[in-house]
Amino acid sequence: MAAAGAVAMAARLDRSEAATLPGPLNESVKDHDNLKARWLKLDEAMRSWWDGDLERSDEEGIRNDATLPPPTPSGAASPWSHSPQKTLIFLPFPYSSGGGSVGSFPEMYGWDAHFINLGLFAHDRTDIVRWNILDQLSMIQRFGKVLNGNRTFYETRGQPPLLAMSVEKYLSVKDDDELALLAYPLLERSYTGYWNAPGHSTPIGLSTCRDGGTGTDKDLELASEAESGLDYTPIFGGNIQHCVPIHVNCALVREAQTLSDLAARFGWRDKAAKWKKEADTRAELINQYCWDENEGCYFEYDYIRKTRLPYYSLNAYWPLWIGIASKSQAKRVVDHLHLFDHQFGLTFTDKKYPEIHSEFDALEWAYPESWPQQQVVVGQALERYGFPDLAREISQRYIANVVTTWEKTGLTWERYDGVVGGHNVPVERDPAQPLHGFSSASAVVVGRIAFS
């Protein structure tokens, strides 16, 4: 997310100060009924945010993009990030922006949109979900992929391909043949023409991330890592172009499964069988290359060096989220949850690893950062494999931090500190920004796990 704007350079609270802020942060999870009541208040407030979080990049929106962005409101805890002017790309429908009405990230982001859609589904806003889906399908129609974001500087890369999952869930609650017929050829184009084209295919049959722009090797590596949505992280060993990211390939399994289901919906038996085989083959390859039997966990695989990388991360829970892990594999992955589980949420990595990208003092997708969308992934993965009590327990810890931080600041945030609480995390490029988007959606979804 933070790749979108200029670096914010204002004063912020130190991480150690977060624990001294007034409020019942440490006691929140202990008082289940009180926490639930406080969360319900936030959840109800969020119902009123969805319409206000809509942006447009129609003719008027593009004209407005040529003007100076609004200043950061007085009282904001950190400055808002804004994208360069005159870079907005046309989309035909209103869309849920990354930042929402709090101001930061007014674009539509590739994988953010799916997590936002999950929150919209929970609040019965399928009208907005449909707009989001149609806008992302229009990107495939124009660019061959769902862009990192609808900005001109994102035209050279995508983001984890979760659109198919939104299509699948939408069609499970709405009988919409028009959207289904539109989606099939465009998802097929994205899968075959982008994620499995020469720039992204690898000799082992799984896909990598690679930005299609120009620049130095270092520039292209960072841009390619940004395509994974994990900008930046130690888990790829400093060069994602040599890796087959677990979460991206898991998303592609679901895309192939969705294509199979869409083909079956219209009676295309041969196509349905072909896509099912494609999904099964990719799932087998993930388990072949990324599963470590000795460790009982999934790890990123470097296909150049032919080795798994030694970094524990929440990406290990994506095979559970999409359902390609066996029950025994799932149990062993869940046994590692204590590595990430802290008082205020799950950290993305189990510890702080030596800096892979020396140009940054800290990396965002690493310990102690607690990212909203990964809380959704793990919580739903645990529910899927029969660990509902554990799902509720970890979800309540995260929700306690989100709710308490909202009560203190009046805002939800791009990411949180899972170790000391609050939102004041180590700064890679920007401080954590005020954010609705996937942050509000995660509170809606994870709250329902926490108090189910």
Side-chain angles (χ1 to χ4, degrees):
M1 283 287 295
V7 176
M9 298 295 292
R12 62 185 180 88
L13 292 175
D14 291 333
R15 287 179 59 229
S16 59
E17 294 179 46
T20 67
L21 289 172
L25 229 159
N26 292 331
E27 290 78 23
S28 293
V29 177
K30 298 176 184 177
D31 189 345
H32 177 276
D33 292 341
N34 175 264
L35 177 60
K36 182 177 181 180
R38 293 161 61 210
W39 167 72
L40 285 170
K41 184 178 179 180
L42 174 58
D43 184 72
E44 190 59 32
M46 288 174 172
R47 288 183 184 274
S48 67
W49 295 357
W50 298 121
D51 290 308
D53 288 347
L54 292 173
E55 295 281 354
R56 297 211 61 146
S57 55
D58 54 8
E59 183 177 349
E60 181 180 359
I62 290 172
R63 281 202 303 270
N64 291 339
D65 186 55
T67 63
L68 289 173
T72 300
S74 60
S78 64
W80 290 357
S81 289
H82 295 288
S83 293
Q85 297 168 251
K86 302 180 182 180
T87 58
L88 200 62
I89 289 173
F90 174 80
L91 293 175
F93 297 97
Y95 60 86
S96 298
S97 60
S101 57
V102 292
S104 294
F105 310 113
E107 308 82 20
M108 179 183 223
Y109 282 84
W111 71 328
D112 296 33
H114 175 67
F115 293 100
I116 294 170
N117 288 342
L118 293 179
L120 289 163
F121 281 121
H123 281 168
D124 299 317
R125 293 305 306 269
T126 53
D127 55 331
I128 299 178
V129 172
R130 193 177 197 273
W131 290 337
N132 289 339
I133 289 172
L134 291 173
D135 279 333
Q136 291 197 313
L137 289 173
S138 77
M139 290 188 204
I140 301 175
Q141 199 164 35
R142 183 174 175 185
F143 299 102
K145 58 184 176 292
V146 175
L147 299 179
N148 186 153
N150 62 313
R151 293 283 180 181
T152 53
F153 49 81
Y154 287 142
E155 290 182 18
T156 56
R157 65 173 180 261
Q159 263 196 337
L162 301 186
L163 172 59
M165 295 177 69
S166 286
V167 170
E168 174 187 49
K169 187 166 180 64
Y170 174 80
L171 293 175
S172 73
V173 298
K174 288 288 184 181
D175 188 14
D176 192 337
D177 281 350
E178 180 184 19
L179 185 141
L181 280 168
L182 178 64
Y184 180 87
L186 293 172
L187 291 175
E188 182 179 48
R189 179 183 174 192
S190 168
Y191 188 95
T192 59
Y194 187 71
W195 288 105
N196 289 282
H200 287 81
S201 62
T202 71
I204 65 172
L206 295 172
S207 300
T208 188
C209 290
R210 183 168 285 113
D211 186 280
T214 58
T216 66
D217 289 346
K218 186 61 177 177
D219 290 341
L220 290 176
E221 196 290 316
L222 292 174
S224 298
E225 197 164 307
E227 181 171 69
S228 76
L230 308 180
D231 45 334
Y232 297 104
T233 181
I235 69 172
F236 303 122
N239 194 341
I240 196 173
Q241 297 168 98
H242 293 174
C243 298
V244 286
I246 296 169
H247 68 305
V248 169
N249 283 282
C250 284
L252 289 169
V253 171
R254 285 297 290 273
E255 190 162 53
Q257 290 171 341
T258 300
L259 284 162
S260 179
D261 292 343
L262 287 171
R265 179 188 183 101
F266 297 112
W268 304 332
R269 294 182 181 178
D270 290 345
K271 290 182 178 180
K274 182 196 80 169
W275 284 113
K276 183 181 184 304
K277 182 179 180 182
E278 175 68 22
D280 291 345
T281 298
R282 187 174 292 271
E284 291 169 2
L285 289 171
I286 293 171
N287 279 310
Q288 177 182 342
Y289 289 104
C290 298
W291 173 254
D292 190 304
E293 180 63 24
N294 291 329
E295 294 294 327
C297 201
Y298 290 94
F299 296 90
E300 304 302 332
Y301 185 79
D302 184 323
Y303 70 92
I304 300 295
R305 292 190 289 161
K306 300 180 180 179
T307 186
R308 296 183 194 95
L309 298 177
Y311 306 103
Y312 283 94
S313 80
L314 294 184
N315 267 10
Y317 291 83
W318 280 65
L320 283 63
W321 190 45
I322 67 162
I324 65 168
S326 68
K327 289 184 178 180
S328 61
Q329 285 175 314
K331 172 62 169 61
R332 297 185 71 189
V333 173
V334 171
D335 285 344
H336 289 86
L337 195 60
H338 69 279
L339 297 175
F340 313 97
D341 189 12
H342 296 273
Q343 186 175 357
F344 304 106
L346 301 173
T347 57
F348 183 68
T349 59
D350 61 320
K351 62 183 179 181
K352 180 177 174 61
Y353 288 99
E355 295 302 340
I356 294 294
H357 299 300
S358 58
E359 59 268 57
F360 304 119
D361 293 331
L363 298 181
E364 290 182 1
W365 287 88
Y367 180 94
E369 314 262 346
S370 183
W371 282 87
Q373 63 273 65
Q374 297 292 343
Q375 300 284 155
V376 174
V377 168
V378 177
Q380 291 186 340
L382 292 172
E383 288 189 318
R384 181 173 195 145
Y385 278 86
F387 300 94
D389 292 341
L390 184 54
R392 281 193 292 271
E393 182 184 336
I394 65 164
S395 296
Q396 286 176 22
R397 282 196 279 276
Y398 171 74
I399 288 296
N401 191 27
V402 172
V403 170
T404 302
T405 306
W406 174 63
E407 290 168 345
K408 292 172 178 176
T409 66
L411 296 164
T412 52
W413 296 84
E414 179 187 27
R415 56 198 192 273
Y416 297 88
D417 191 312
V419 179
V420 304
H423 67 281
N424 295 296
V425 290
V427 175
E428 177 189 276
R429 290 160 291 170
D430 295 345
Q433 297 292 310
L435 201 81
H436 285 181
F438 60 60
S439 293
S440 54
S442 79
V444 170
V445 176
V446 177
R448 280 159 174 73
I449 298 172
F451 304 112
S452 60

Coordinates of all heavy atoms in Angstrom, one line a residue, residues 323-379:
G323 N -7.8 -24.1 1.0 CA -8.2 -25.5 1.1 C -7.4 -26.6 0.4 O -7.9 -27.6 0.0
I324 N -6.1 -26.3 0.1 CA -5.3 -27.3 -0.6 C -4.4 -28.1 0.4 O -3.6 -29.0 -0.1 CB -4.5 -26.7 -1.7 CG1 -3.4 -25.7 -1.2 CG2 -5.4 -26.0 -2.7 CD1 -2.4 -25.3 -2.2
A325 N -4.4 -27.8 1.6 CA -3.6 -28.5 2.6 C -4.4 -29.8 3.1 O -5.6 -29.7 3.2 CB -3.2 -27.7 3.8
S326 N -3.7 -30.9 3.3 CA -4.4 -32.0 3.9 C -4.7 -31.7 5.4 O -4.1 -30.7 6.0 CB -3.5 -33.2 3.8 OG -2.4 -33.1 4.7
K327 N -5.5 -32.5 6.1 CA -5.8 -32.3 7.5 C -4.5 -32.4 8.3 O -4.4 -31.6 9.3 CB -6.9 -33.2 7.9 CG -8.3 -33.0 7.4 CD -9.3 -33.9 7.9 CE -10.7 -33.6 7.4 NZ -11.7 -34.5 7.9
S328 N -3.7 -33.3 8.0 CA -2.5 -33.5 8.8 C -1.5 -32.3 8.6 O -0.9 -31.9 9.5 CB -1.8 -34.8 8.4 OG -1.4 -34.9 7.1
Q329 N -1.4 -31.8 7.3 CA -0.6 -30.7 7.1 C -1.1 -29.5 7.8 O -0.4 -28.7 8.5 CB -0.6 -30.4 5.6 CG 0.3 -31.3 4.7 CD 0.2 -31.0 3.3 OE1 -0.9 -30.8 2.7 NE2 1.3 -30.9 2.6
A330 N -2.4 -29.3 7.8 CA -3.1 -28.1 8.4 C -2.8 -28.2 9.9 O -2.4 -27.1 10.5 CB -4.6 -28.1 8.2
K331 N -2.9 -29.4 10.5 CA -2.6 -29.5 12.0 C -1.2 -29.0 12.3 O -0.9 -28.3 13.3 CB -2.8 -30.9 12.4 CG -2.4 -31.2 13.9 CD -3.2 -30.4 14.9 CE -3.0 -30.9 16.3 NZ -1.6 -30.8 16.8
R332 N -0.2 -29.4 11.5 CA 1.2 -29.1 11.8 C 1.4 -27.6 11.5 O 2.2 -27.0 12.3 CB 2.1 -30.0 10.9 CG 2.0 -31.5 11.2 CD 3.0 -32.3 10.4 NE 4.3 -32.0 10.8 CZ 5.4 -32.5 10.2 NH1 5.3 -33.2 9.1 NH2 6.6 -32.3 10.7
V333 N 0.8 -27.0 10.5 CA 0.9 -25.6 10.3 C 0.3 -24.8 11.5 O 0.9 -23.9 12.0 CB 0.3 -25.1 9.0 CG1 0.3 -23.6 8.9 CG2 1.0 -25.7 7.8
V334 N -0.8 -25.2 12.0 CA -1.5 -24.6 13.1 C -0.6 -24.7 14.4 O -0.6 -23.8 15.2 CB -2.9 -25.2 13.3 CG1 -3.5 -24.7 14.7 CG2 -3.8 -24.8 12.2
D335 N 0.1 -25.8 14.5 CA 1.0 -26.0 15.6 C 2.1 -24.9 15.7 O 2.7 -24.7 16.7 CB 1.7 -27.3 15.6 CG 0.8 -28.5 16.0 OD1 -0.3 -28.2 16.6 OD2 1.1 -29.6 15.7
H336 N 2.3 -24.2 14.5 CA 3.3 -23.1 14.5 C 2.7 -21.7 14.8 O 3.4 -20.7 14.8 CB 4.0 -23.0 13.1 CG 4.9 -24.2 12.8 ND1 4.5 -25.4 12.3 CD2 6.3 -24.3 13.0 CE1 5.5 -26.2 12.1 NE2 6.6 -25.6 12.6
L337 N 1.4 -21.7 15.1 CA 0.8 -20.4 15.2 C 1.4 -19.6 16.4 O 1.4 -18.3 16.3 CB -0.7 -20.6 15.4 CG -1.6 -19.3 15.2 CD1 -1.4 -18.8 13.8 CD2 -3.0 -19.6 15.5
H338 N 1.9 -20.3 17.4 CA 2.4 -19.5 18.6 C 3.6 -18.7 18.2 O 3.9 -17.7 18.9 CB 2.9 -20.5 19.6 CG 4.1 -21.4 19.2 ND1 3.9 -22.5 18.4 CD2 5.4 -21.2 19.5 CE1 5.1 -23.0 18.2 NE2 6.0 -22.3 18.9
L339 N 4.2 -19.0 17.0 CA 5.4 -18.1 16.6 C 4.9 -16.7 16.2 O 5.7 -15.8 16.3 CB 6.0 -18.8 15.4 CG 6.7 -20.2 15.6 CD1 7.2 -20.7 14.2 CD2 7.8 -20.1 16.6
F340 N 3.7 -16.6 15.8 CA 3.2 -15.3 15.3 C 2.2 -14.6 16.3 O 1.9 -13.5 16.1 CB 2.5 -15.5 14.0 CG 3.2 -16.3 13.0 CD1 3.0 -17.7 12.8 CD2 4.3 -15.7 12.2 CE1 3.7 -18.4 11.9 CE2 5.0 -16.5 11.3 CZ 4.7 -17.9 11.2
D341 N 1.7 -15.4 17.2 CA 0.6 -15.0 18.1 C 1.0 -14.1 19.3 O 1.8 -14.6 20.1 CB -0.2 -16.2 18.6 CG -1.5 -15.9 19.3 OD1 -1.9 -14.7 19.2 OD2 -2.1 -16.8 19.9
H342 N 0.6 -12.9 19.3 CA 1.0 -11.9 20.3 C -0.2 -11.3 20.9 O -1.3 -11.5 20.5 CB 2.0 -10.9 19.8 CG 3.2 -11.4 19.3 ND1 4.4 -11.7 20.1 CD2 3.6 -11.9 18.0 CE1 5.3 -12.2 19.3 NE2 4.9 -12.3 18.1
Q343 N 0.0 -10.5 21.9 CA -1.1 -10.0 22.7 C -2.1 -9.1 21.9 O -3.3 -9.1 22.2 CB -0.6 -9.1 23.9 CG -1.6 -8.6 24.9 CD -1.0 -7.9 26.0 OE1 0.2 -7.8 26.2 NE2 -1.9 -7.4 26.9
F344 N -1.6 -8.5 20.8 CA -2.4 -7.6 20.1 C -2.6 -8.0 18.6 O -3.0 -7.1 17.8 CB -1.8 -6.2 20.2 CG -1.7 -5.7 21.6 CD1 -0.4 -5.7 22.2 CD2 -2.8 -5.4 22.4 CE1 -0.3 -5.3 23.5 CE2 -2.6 -5.0 23.7 CZ -1.4 -5.0 24.3
G345 N -2.3 -9.2 18.3 CA -2.6 -9.7 16.9 C -1.4 -10.5 16.4 O -0.4 -10.7 17.1
L346 N -1.6 -11.1 15.2 CA -0.6 -11.9 14.6 C 0.4 -11.1 13.9 O 0.0 -10.2 13.0 CB -1.3 -12.9 13.6 CG -2.3 -13.9 14.2 CD1 -3.0 -14.6 13.0 CD2 -1.7 -14.8 15.2
T347 N 1.7 -11.3 14.1 CA 2.7 -10.6 13.3 C 3.0 -11.4 12.0 O 2.8 -12.6 12.0 CB 4.0 -10.5 14.1 OG1 4.5 -11.8 14.5 CG2 3.8 -9.6 15.4
F348 N 3.4 -10.7 11.0 CA 3.5 -11.3 9.7 C 4.6 -12.3 9.7 O 4.5 -13.4 9.1 CB 3.7 -10.3 8.6 CG 3.8 -11.0 7.2 CD1 2.6 -11.6 6.7 CD2 4.9 -11.0 6.5 CE1 2.7 -12.2 5.4 CE2 5.0 -11.6 5.3 CZ 3.9 -12.2 4.7
T349 N 5.8 -12.0 10.3 CA 6.8 -13.0 10.5 C 7.0 -13.3 12.0 O 6.5 -12.6 12.8 CB 8.2 -12.5 9.9 OG1 8.5 -11.3 10.5 CG2 8.1 -12.3 8.4
D350 N 7.7 -14.4 12.2 CA 7.8 -14.8 13.6 C 8.8 -14.0 14.4 O 8.7 -13.9 15.7 CB 8.3 -16.3 13.7 CG 9.6 -16.5 13.0 OD1 9.9 -15.9 12.0 OD2 10.4 -17.3 13.5
K351 N 9.7 -13.3 13.7 CA 10.7 -12.5 14.4 C 11.3 -11.5 13.4 O 10.9 -11.5 12.2 CB 11.9 -13.4 14.9 CG 12.6 -14.1 13.8 CD 13.7 -15.0 14.4 CE 14.4 -15.8 13.3 NZ 15.4 -16.7 13.8
K352 N 12.1 -10.6 13.9 CA 12.8 -9.6 13.0 C 14.0 -10.3 12.4 O 14.9 -10.7 13.1 CB 13.2 -8.4 13.8 CG 13.9 -7.3 12.9 CD 14.2 -6.1 13.7 CE 15.0 -5.1 13.0 NZ 14.4 -4.6 11.8
Y353 N 14.0 -10.4 11.1 CA 15.1 -11.1 10.4 C 16.1 -10.0 9.9 O 15.8 -8.8 9.8 CB 14.6 -11.8 9.1 CG 13.8 -13.1 9.5 CD1 12.4 -13.1 9.5 CD2 14.5 -14.2 9.7 CE1 11.7 -14.2 9.8 CE2 13.8 -15.4 10.1 CZ 12.4 -15.4 10.1 OH 11.7 -16.5 10.4
P354 N 17.3 -10.4 9.7 CA 18.3 -9.4 9.2 C 17.8 -8.7 7.9 O 17.1 -9.3 7.1 CB 19.5 -10.3 8.9 CG 19.4 -11.5 9.7 CD 17.9 -11.8 9.9
E355 N 18.1 -7.4 7.8 CA 17.5 -6.6 6.8 C 18.0 -7.1 5.4 O 19.2 -7.2 5.1 CB 17.9 -5.2 6.9 CG 17.3 -4.5 8.2 CD 15.8 -4.6 8.3 OE1 15.2 -4.8 7.2 OE2 15.3 -4.5 9.4
I356 N 17.0 -7.5 4.6 CA 17.3 -7.9 3.2 C 17.5 -6.7 2.3 O 18.3 -6.7 1.4 CB 16.1 -8.8 2.7 CG1 16.0 -10.1 3.5 CG2 16.2 -9.1 1.2 CD1 17.2 -11.0 3.3
H357 N 16.6 -5.7 2.5 CA 16.7 -4.5 1.7 C 17.4 -3.4 2.5 O 16.7 -2.7 3.3 CB 15.3 -4.0 1.2 CG 14.6 -5.1 0.4 ND1 15.1 -5.5 -0.8 CD2 13.5 -5.7 0.6 CE1 14.3 -6.4 -1.4 NE2 13.3 -6.6 -0.5
S358 N 18.7 -3.2 2.3 CA 19.5 -2.3 3.2 C 19.1 -0.9 3.1 O 19.4 -0.1 4.0 CB 20.9 -2.5 2.9 OG 21.2 -2.2 1.5
E359 N 18.3 -0.5 2.0 CA 17.9 0.9 1.9 C 16.8 1.3 2.9 O 16.5 2.5 3.0 CB 17.5 1.2 0.5 CG 16.3 0.4 -0.1 CD 16.8 -0.9 -0.8 OE1 17.5 -1.7 -0.2 OE2 16.4 -1.1 -1.9
F360 N 16.2 0.3 3.6 CA 15.2 0.6 4.5 C 15.6 0.3 5.9 O 16.3 -0.7 6.1 CB 13.9 -0.2 4.2 CG 13.4 0.0 2.8 CD1 13.3 -1.0 1.9 CD2 13.0 1.3 2.4 CE1 12.8 -0.8 0.6 CE2 12.5 1.5 1.1 CZ 12.4 0.4 0.2
D361 N 15.2 1.1 6.9 CA 15.6 0.8 8.3 C 14.7 -0.3 8.8 O 15.1 -1.0 9.8 CB 15.3 2.1 9.1 CG 16.3 3.2 8.8 OD1 17.4 2.9 8.4 OD2 16.0 4.4 8.9
A362 N 13.5 -0.5 8.3 CA 12.6 -1.6 8.7 C 11.8 -2.0 7.5 O 11.7 -1.2 6.6 CB 11.7 -1.1 9.9
L363 N 11.3 -3.2 7.6 CA 10.4 -3.7 6.5 C 9.0 -3.8 7.0 O 8.7 -4.3 8.2 CB 10.9 -5.0 6.0 CG 12.3 -5.0 5.4 CD1 12.7 -6.4 4.9 CD2 12.4 -4.0 4.2
E364 N 8.0 -3.4 6.2 CA 6.6 -3.4 6.7 C 6.0 -4.8 6.9 O 5.3 -5.0 7.8 CB 5.8 -2.6 5.6 CG 6.0 -1.2 5.6 CD 5.1 -0.4 4.6 OE1 4.3 -1.1 3.9 OE2 5.3 0.8 4.5
W365 N 6.4 -5.7 6.0 CA 5.8 -7.0 6.0 C 6.7 -7.9 6.8 O 7.3 -8.9 6.3 CB 5.5 -7.6 4.6 CG 4.3 -6.8 4.0 CD1 4.4 -5.7 3.3 CD2 3.0 -7.2 4.1 NE1 3.1 -5.3 2.9 CE2 2.2 -6.2 3.4 CE3 2.3 -8.3 4.7 CZ2 0.8 -6.3 3.3 CZ3 0.9 -8.4 4.6 CH2 0.2 -7.4 3.9
A366 N 6.8 -7.7 8.1 CA 7.7 -8.4 9.0 C 7.2 -8.1 10.4 O 6.4 -7.3 10.7 CB 9.1 -8.0 8.8
Y367 N 7.9 -8.8 11.4 CA 7.7 -8.5 12.8 C 8.0 -7.1 13.1 O 9.0 -6.6 12.6 CB 8.6 -9.5 13.6 CG 8.6 -9.4 15.0 CD1 7.8 -10.2 15.8 CD2 9.4 -8.5 15.7 CE1 7.7 -10.1 17.2 CE2 9.4 -8.4 17.1 CZ 8.6 -9.2 17.8 OH 8.5 -9.1 19.2
P368 N 7.2 -6.4 13.9 CA 6.1 -6.7 14.6 C 4.7 -6.3 14.0 O 3.7 -6.2 14.7 CB 6.3 -5.9 15.9 CG 6.8 -4.6 15.4 CD 7.7 -5.0 14.2
E369 N 4.8 -6.1 12.7 CA 3.6 -5.6 12.0 C 2.4 -6.7 12.0 O 2.6 -7.8 11.7 CB 3.9 -5.2 10.5 CG 5.2 -4.5 10.4 CD 4.9 -3.0 10.3 OE1 3.8 -2.6 10.0 OE2 5.9 -2.2 10.4
S370 N 1.2 -6.2 12.3 CA 0.0 -7.0 12.3 C -0.9 -6.4 11.2 O -1.5 -5.4 11.4 CB -0.7 -7.0 13.6 OG -1.8 -7.8 13.6
W371 N -1.0 -7.1 10.0 CA -1.7 -6.6 8.9 C -3.1 -7.1 8.9 O -3.4 -8.3 9.1 CB -1.0 -7.0 7.6 CG 0.2 -6.2 7.3 CD1 1.5 -6.4 7.7 CD2 0.3 -5.0 6.5 NE1 2.3 -5.5 7.2 CE2 1.6 -4.6 6.5 CE3 -0.7 -4.3 5.8 CZ2 2.0 -3.4 5.8 CZ3 -0.3 -3.2 5.1 CH2 1.0 -2.8 5.1
P372 N -4.1 -6.2 8.6 CA -5.5 -6.6 8.7 C -5.9 -7.8 7.8 O -6.6 -8.7 8.3 CB -6.2 -5.3 8.3 CG -5.3 -4.2 8.7 CD -3.9 -4.8 8.4
Q373 N -5.4 -7.8 6.5 CA -5.9 -8.9 5.6 C -5.4 -10.2 6.0 O -6.0 -11.3 5.8 CB -5.6 -8.5 4.2 CG -4.1 -8.4 3.8 CD -3.5 -7.1 4.0 OE1 -3.5 -6.6 5.2 NE2 -3.1 -6.4 3.0
Q374 N -4.2 -10.3 6.6 CA -3.6 -11.6 7.1 C -4.4 -12.1 8.3 O -4.5 -13.3 8.5 CB -2.2 -11.4 7.4 CG -1.3 -11.0 6.2 CD -1.2 -12.1 5.1 OE1 -1.5 -13.2 5.4 NE2 -0.7 -11.7 3.9
Q375 N -5.0 -11.2 9.1 CA -5.8 -11.7 10.2 C -7.1 -12.4 9.6 O -7.6 -13.4 10.2 CB -6.3 -10.5 11.0 CG -5.1 -9.8 11.7 CD -4.5 -10.5 12.9 OE1 -3.3 -10.3 13.2 NE2 -5.3 -11.3 13.5
V376 N -7.6 -11.9 8.5 CA -8.7 -12.6 7.8 C -8.3 -13.9 7.3 O -9.0 -14.9 7.5 CB -9.3 -11.7 6.7 CG1 -10.4 -12.4 5.9 CG2 -9.8 -10.3 7.2
V377 N -7.2 -14.0 6.6 CA -6.7 -15.2 6.1 C -6.6 -16.3 7.1 O -7.1 -17.4 7.0 CB -5.4 -15.0 5.3 CG1 -4.7 -16.4 5.0 CG2 -5.6 -14.2 4.1
V378 N -5.9 -16.0 8.2 CA -5.6 -17.0 9.3 C -6.9 -17.4 10.0 O -7.2 -18.6 10.2 CB -4.5 -16.5 10.2 CG1 -4.3 -17.5 11.3 CG2 -3.2 -16.2 9.5
G379 N -7.7 -16.4 10.3 CA -9.0 -16.7 11.0 C -9.9 -17.6 10.2 O -10.4 -18.6 10.7

